[in-house]
Short mmCIF file of all heavy atoms in Angstrom, two decimals:
data_model
loop_
_atom_site.label_atom_id
_atom_site.label_comp_id
_atom_site.label_asym_id
_atom_site.label_seq_id
_atom_site.Cartn_x
_atom_site.Cartn_y
_atom_site.Cartn_z
N MET Z 129 118.24 130.10 88.66
CA MET Z 129 118.26 128.69 88.02
C MET Z 129 117.01 128.64 87.14
O MET Z 129 115.92 129.06 87.55
CB MET Z 129 118.27 127.67 89.10
CG MET Z 129 118.37 126.25 88.55
SD MET Z 129 118.74 125.04 89.82
CE MET Z 129 118.00 125.59 91.27
N GLU Z 130 117.18 128.19 85.88
CA GLU Z 130 116.07 128.03 85.02
C GLU Z 130 115.26 126.86 85.35
O GLU Z 130 115.68 125.89 85.72
CB GLU Z 130 116.69 127.84 83.58
CG GLU Z 130 115.83 128.15 82.52
CD GLU Z 130 116.49 127.96 81.08
OE1 GLU Z 130 117.61 128.56 80.99
OE2 GLU Z 130 115.88 127.45 80.21
N THR Z 131 113.88 127.04 85.10
CA THR Z 131 112.95 125.97 85.56
C THR Z 131 112.71 124.93 84.60
O THR Z 131 112.26 123.83 84.88
CB THR Z 131 111.62 126.59 85.99
OG1 THR Z 131 111.07 127.45 84.92
CG2 THR Z 131 111.76 127.52 87.23
N ASN Z 132 113.06 125.13 83.29
CA ASN Z 132 112.81 124.16 82.16
C ASN Z 132 113.94 123.13 82.07
O ASN Z 132 113.94 122.33 81.24
CB ASN Z 132 112.72 124.92 80.89
CG ASN Z 132 111.36 125.53 80.70
OD1 ASN Z 132 110.46 125.22 81.51
ND2 ASN Z 132 111.09 126.28 79.65
N VAL Z 133 114.96 123.26 82.87
CA VAL Z 133 116.11 122.39 82.88
C VAL Z 133 115.78 121.10 83.61
O VAL Z 133 115.09 121.03 84.65
CB VAL Z 133 117.30 123.10 83.55
CG1 VAL Z 133 118.51 122.21 83.58
CG2 VAL Z 133 117.52 124.42 82.96
N HIS Z 134 116.32 119.98 83.06
CA HIS Z 134 116.21 118.63 83.65
C HIS Z 134 116.78 118.73 85.06
O HIS Z 134 117.79 119.36 85.31
CB HIS Z 134 116.93 117.63 82.83
CG HIS Z 134 116.79 116.26 83.36
ND1 HIS Z 134 117.40 115.71 84.36
CD2 HIS Z 134 115.83 115.34 82.85
CE1 HIS Z 134 117.01 114.50 84.62
NE2 HIS Z 134 116.00 114.15 83.63
N PRO Z 135 116.09 118.10 86.11
CA PRO Z 135 116.61 118.18 87.41
C PRO Z 135 118.07 117.78 87.57
O PRO Z 135 118.82 118.44 88.40
CB PRO Z 135 115.70 117.25 88.14
CG PRO Z 135 114.44 117.17 87.35
CD PRO Z 135 114.82 117.34 86.00
N MET Z 136 118.46 116.78 86.73
CA MET Z 136 119.97 116.42 86.92
C MET Z 136 120.86 117.61 86.68
O MET Z 136 121.73 117.83 87.45
CB MET Z 136 120.22 115.32 85.83
CG MET Z 136 121.74 114.91 85.91
SD MET Z 136 122.16 113.61 84.75
CE MET Z 136 121.88 114.37 83.16
N TYR Z 137 120.56 118.40 85.67
CA TYR Z 137 121.43 119.57 85.38
C TYR Z 137 121.25 120.65 86.36
O TYR Z 137 122.17 121.36 86.74
CB TYR Z 137 121.19 120.09 83.91
CG TYR Z 137 121.45 119.06 82.85
CD1 TYR Z 137 120.53 118.43 82.12
CD2 TYR Z 137 122.91 118.59 82.70
CE1 TYR Z 137 120.83 117.41 81.21
CE2 TYR Z 137 123.20 117.68 81.74
CZ TYR Z 137 122.19 117.02 80.99
OH TYR Z 137 122.52 116.12 80.07
N ALA Z 138 120.07 120.80 86.80
CA ALA Z 138 119.69 121.85 87.77
C ALA Z 138 120.39 121.46 89.04
O ALA Z 138 120.98 122.49 89.72
CB ALA Z 138 118.23 121.98 88.02
N HIS Z 139 120.48 120.32 89.44
CA HIS Z 139 121.10 119.93 90.78
C HIS Z 139 122.63 119.95 90.71
O HIS Z 139 123.24 120.55 91.59
CB HIS Z 139 120.60 118.54 91.17
CG HIS Z 139 119.22 118.34 91.48
ND1 HIS Z 139 118.63 117.21 91.82
CD2 HIS Z 139 118.19 119.29 91.48
CE1 HIS Z 139 117.26 117.39 92.01
NE2 HIS Z 139 117.00 118.58 91.71
N THR Z 140 123.18 119.37 89.54
CA THR Z 140 124.67 119.34 89.53
C THR Z 140 125.28 120.74 89.21
O THR Z 140 126.41 120.87 89.51
CB THR Z 140 125.09 118.21 88.45
OG1 THR Z 140 124.48 118.62 87.26
CG2 THR Z 140 124.58 116.93 88.82
N HIS Z 141 124.62 121.62 88.57
CA HIS Z 141 125.14 122.89 88.27
C HIS Z 141 124.60 123.93 89.27
O HIS Z 141 124.99 125.14 89.01
CB HIS Z 141 124.79 123.29 86.81
CG HIS Z 141 125.46 122.37 85.83
ND1 HIS Z 141 124.82 121.24 85.30
CD2 HIS Z 141 126.68 122.41 85.27
CE1 HIS Z 141 125.64 120.66 84.56
NE2 HIS Z 141 126.81 121.34 84.45
N ALA Z 142 124.00 123.74 90.22
CA ALA Z 142 123.49 124.69 91.21
C ALA Z 142 124.62 125.19 92.18
O ALA Z 142 125.63 124.54 92.33
CB ALA Z 142 122.37 124.08 92.10
N SER Z 143 124.40 126.41 92.64
CA SER Z 143 125.30 126.91 93.62
C SER Z 143 125.13 126.22 94.93
O SER Z 143 124.15 125.43 95.11
CB SER Z 143 125.07 128.32 93.84
OG SER Z 143 123.82 128.55 94.47
N LEU Z 144 126.05 126.42 95.83
CA LEU Z 144 126.02 125.77 97.05
C LEU Z 144 124.61 126.02 97.89
O LEU Z 144 123.92 125.18 98.30
CB LEU Z 144 127.13 126.14 97.99
CG LEU Z 144 127.32 125.43 99.28
CD1 LEU Z 144 127.58 123.94 99.11
CD2 LEU Z 144 128.60 126.02 99.98
N ARG Z 145 124.30 127.31 97.76
CA ARG Z 145 123.01 127.72 98.54
C ARG Z 145 121.80 127.14 97.76
O ARG Z 145 120.83 126.68 98.41
CB ARG Z 145 122.91 129.25 98.44
CG ARG Z 145 121.76 129.83 99.27
CD ARG Z 145 121.89 131.33 99.36
NE ARG Z 145 123.18 131.75 99.99
CZ ARG Z 145 123.33 131.76 101.34
NH1 ARG Z 145 122.37 131.36 102.10
NH2 ARG Z 145 124.46 132.17 101.85
N GLU Z 146 121.79 127.04 96.44
CA GLU Z 146 120.68 126.39 95.76
C GLU Z 146 120.61 124.90 95.95
O GLU Z 146 119.51 124.52 96.14
CB GLU Z 146 120.87 126.61 94.19
CG GLU Z 146 120.64 128.05 93.77
CD GLU Z 146 121.09 128.37 92.34
OE1 GLU Z 146 121.98 127.62 91.83
OE2 GLU Z 146 120.60 129.25 91.63
N LYS Z 147 121.74 124.24 96.08
CA LYS Z 147 121.76 122.85 96.50
C LYS Z 147 120.99 122.56 97.76
O LYS Z 147 120.20 121.65 97.99
CB LYS Z 147 123.10 122.19 96.53
CG LYS Z 147 123.70 122.12 95.13
CD LYS Z 147 125.10 121.54 95.13
CE LYS Z 147 125.72 121.52 93.77
NZ LYS Z 147 127.00 120.82 93.78
N VAL Z 148 121.32 123.42 98.76
CA VAL Z 148 120.77 123.25 100.13
C VAL Z 148 119.14 123.49 99.98
O VAL Z 148 118.39 122.74 100.58
CB VAL Z 148 121.33 124.28 101.16
CG1 VAL Z 148 120.51 124.32 102.42
CG2 VAL Z 148 122.82 124.01 101.34
N GLU Z 149 118.76 124.45 99.25
CA GLU Z 149 117.33 124.71 99.15
C GLU Z 149 116.63 123.65 98.22
O GLU Z 149 115.52 123.32 98.66
CB GLU Z 149 117.09 126.15 98.48
CG GLU Z 149 117.54 127.27 99.30
CD GLU Z 149 116.89 127.18 100.73
OE1 GLU Z 149 115.71 126.87 100.90
OE2 GLU Z 149 117.69 127.53 101.71
N ILE Z 150 117.35 123.15 97.38
CA ILE Z 150 116.76 121.88 96.66
C ILE Z 150 116.55 120.75 97.58
O ILE Z 150 115.48 120.11 97.63
CB ILE Z 150 117.59 121.40 95.46
CG1 ILE Z 150 117.67 122.49 94.39
CG2 ILE Z 150 117.21 120.10 94.93
CD1 ILE Z 150 118.82 122.34 93.36
N LEU Z 151 117.51 120.49 98.42
CA LEU Z 151 117.41 119.46 99.45
C LEU Z 151 116.29 119.81 100.52
O LEU Z 151 115.61 118.84 100.93
CB LEU Z 151 118.69 119.17 100.13
CG LEU Z 151 119.78 118.39 99.28
CD1 LEU Z 151 121.10 118.49 99.91
CD2 LEU Z 151 119.34 116.94 99.07
N ALA Z 152 116.06 121.03 100.75
CA ALA Z 152 114.96 121.45 101.66
C ALA Z 152 113.60 121.09 101.14
O ALA Z 152 112.75 120.80 101.90
CB ALA Z 152 115.17 122.83 101.96
N THR Z 153 113.44 121.10 99.79
CA THR Z 153 112.22 120.79 99.24
C THR Z 153 112.01 119.34 99.04
O THR Z 153 110.85 118.86 98.75
CB THR Z 153 112.16 121.48 97.72
OG1 THR Z 153 113.12 120.87 96.91
CG2 THR Z 153 112.29 122.91 97.79
N PRO Z 155 113.06 116.69 96.95
CA PRO Z 155 112.58 116.12 95.65
C PRO Z 155 112.70 114.54 95.79
O PRO Z 155 113.44 114.02 96.56
CB PRO Z 155 113.50 116.68 94.58
CG PRO Z 155 114.72 117.03 95.41
CD PRO Z 155 114.31 117.45 96.76
N ARG Z 157 114.14 112.57 93.70
CA ARG Z 157 115.67 112.31 93.39
C ARG Z 157 116.46 113.49 93.52
O ARG Z 157 115.99 114.64 93.14
CB ARG Z 157 115.79 111.83 92.00
CG ARG Z 157 115.15 110.39 91.72
CD ARG Z 157 115.40 109.92 90.36
NE ARG Z 157 114.71 108.66 90.08
CZ ARG Z 157 114.43 108.19 89.05
NH1 ARG Z 157 114.71 108.87 87.88
NH2 ARG Z 157 113.97 106.97 88.89
N TYR Z 158 117.54 113.38 94.17
CA TYR Z 158 118.51 114.46 94.19
C TYR Z 158 119.80 113.97 93.54
O TYR Z 158 120.41 113.07 94.09
CB TYR Z 158 118.82 114.91 95.67
CG TYR Z 158 119.88 115.95 95.78
CD1 TYR Z 158 119.62 117.30 95.40
CD2 TYR Z 158 121.18 115.64 96.06
CE1 TYR Z 158 120.63 118.22 95.53
CE2 TYR Z 158 122.21 116.57 96.20
CZ TYR Z 158 121.87 117.82 95.91
OH TYR Z 158 122.89 118.84 95.91
N PHE Z 159 120.18 114.73 92.45
CA PHE Z 159 121.29 114.28 91.65
C PHE Z 159 122.54 114.89 92.25
O PHE Z 159 122.66 116.08 92.46
CB PHE Z 159 121.08 114.70 90.18
CG PHE Z 159 119.99 113.87 89.45
CD1 PHE Z 159 118.67 114.40 89.51
CD2 PHE Z 159 120.34 112.81 88.75
CE1 PHE Z 159 117.74 113.66 88.77
CE2 PHE Z 159 119.39 112.10 88.14
CZ PHE Z 159 118.07 112.52 88.12
#
Side-chain angles (χ1 to χ4, degrees):
M129 185 169 29
E130 200 174 316
T131 57
N132 283 348
V133 178
H134 186 279
M136 178 179 67
Y137 298 109
H139 296 178
T140 58
H141 292 93
S143 70
L144 187 59
R145 189 170 301 280
E146 289 171 333
K147 288 179 181 185
V148 172
E149 293 308 319
I150 291 167
L151 286 165
T153 64
R157 293 180 179 162
Y158 174 75
F159 290 88

